[in-house]
Amino acid sequence: MEDDEEIIECFLTIYPKEKIIYLGEPCSSGCKYSYKNFNDLIRKVKFYFGLYHKDKLKNMRK
């Protein structure tokens, strides 16, 4: 198994009727985003990971 520093565990809950997405981790309260369409939903997920896991993602790309 990989080193724990390279693991990102994230919970994703999507409410399509309300167009709301919840992203969170076991040790955090998480974030709630509204979205307009599928592409906007993807942008919100990318924003979340860029905001909270920028350094981890940078190391994974090496």
Side-chain angles (χ1 to χ4, degrees):
M1 179 167 253
E2 300 273 335
D3 188 0
D4 282 347
E5 291 181 10
E6 295 188 21
I7 295 172
I8 299 172
E9 187 174 344
C10 181
F11 300 104
L12 169 75
T13 306
I14 301 171
Y15 292 90
K17 288 183 182 179
E18 295 86 1
K19 293 198 177 213
I20 293 175
I21 181 173
Y22 291 96
L23 293 155
E25 299 164 64
C27 61
S28 75
S29 59
C31 295
K32 173 184 172 182
Y33 299 112
S34 61
Y35 65 92
K36 297 174 186 169
N37 53 41
F38 183 75
N39 287 331
D40 192 34
L41 184 143
I42 298 301
R43 279 192 290 275
K44 303 296 171 132
V45 172
K46 286 181 178 181
F47 174 78
Y48 174 85
F49 281 101
L51 187 64
Y52 293 104
H53 298 291
K54 187 180 349 180
D55 294 335
K56 284 185 182 180
L57 294 173
K58 208 180 290 184
N59 291 335
M60 288 181 183
R61 290 183 189 140
K62 292 179 182 179

